[in-house]
Amino acid sequence: MSWFAAKTKHKGEFKAMNFFNSLGVNSYVPSYKTKRLWSDRIKKVTVPAISGYVFFELPKIDFALINLNPFTKNVIRDIGGVPAIIKDKEIAMLKDCFNNELRDSNNNLFRGQKIKINSGPFMFKKGSINKISCNKVIITIESININLVISKSSVIAA
């Protein structure tokens, strides 16, 4: 069995994967969960880590099977023009890296960094970090002259 990749239609990665899976073809889309902010709520969503691609496993390339999938455009080819074969260890590495856990960009916060609050009553206020502990930060919001203790998940780099 060999892994191949196909380019998908716009926002069709998960649809293409589900279609392949319904045909009994082992397929994979590297993805992770993240928080997205709407005007009225914050929601955790799953997004593809590599936009526009789906990986699938077949004994040999079958264009008839791939053309059945309405969410794929074409197979990724190497320089010689033949379908690119992706190594099992590369797919395993992708699966290890993207095991669908929440990815926080807050693990690289530092003292003095400018941040923006993305949840709570002070949403969208900007400040700077005074102190960092395990899962809390103390920030100064100079526009209203206060210090706040809030969770790391409530701030993003400004």
Side-chain angles (χ1 to χ4, degrees), residues 10-154:
H10 183 68
K11 297 196 182 253
E13 299 91 350
F14 295 113
K15 294 173 188 173
M17 180 183 71
N18 291 336
F19 189 87
F20 278 136
N21 288 338
S22 71
L23 295 176
V25 175
N26 186 17
S27 59
Y28 174 64
V29 173
S31 61
Y32 61 97
K33 291 183 182 179
T34 187
K35 292 180 183 177
R36 293 290 163 101
L37 176 66
W38 279 268
S39 62
D40 61 340
R41 66 193 180 284
I42 297 173
K43 188 175 180 182
K44 291 179 184 175
V45 295
T46 303
V47 295
I50 305 173
S51 298
Y53 293 92
V54 62
F55 300 95
F56 55 95
E57 188 177 30
L58 292 172
K60 65 177 187 149
I61 197 74
D62 183 2
F63 290 105
L65 181 67
I66 295 163
N67 290 335
L68 279 176
N69 193 329
F71 305 105
T72 58
K73 290 182 182 178
N74 52 12
V75 173
I76 304 303
R77 298 174 183 273
D78 63 12
I79 294 175
V82 296
I85 296 175
I86 300 162
K87 296 175 183 158
D88 287 334
K89 67 180 180 179
E90 291 172 334
I91 297 295
M93 183 181 67
L94 281 173
K95 288 181 178 181
D96 287 343
C97 290
F98 300 104
N99 55 4
N100 289 332
E101 290 183 12
L102 183 65
R103 303 276 180 211
D104 280 334
S105 60
N106 298 325
N107 54 3
N108 55 359
L109 296 175
F110 57 89
R111 190 168 188 242
Q113 181 179 16
K114 300 292 183 191
I115 54 93
K116 183 170 75 171
I117 301 172
N118 64 1
S119 66
F122 293 100
M123 186 182 289
F124 304 121
K125 290 284 186 190
K126 293 182 180 180
S128 60
I129 297 177
N130 281 347
K131 188 176 178 182
I132 302 171
S133 67
C134 294
N135 57 359
K136 302 277 186 196
V137 291
I138 299 175
I139 62 168
T140 300
I141 301 178
E142 292 186 14
S143 63
I144 53 178
N145 198 23
I146 63 168
N147 287 333
L148 294 175
V149 178
I150 59 176
S151 69
K152 284 184 178 180
S153 63
S154 297

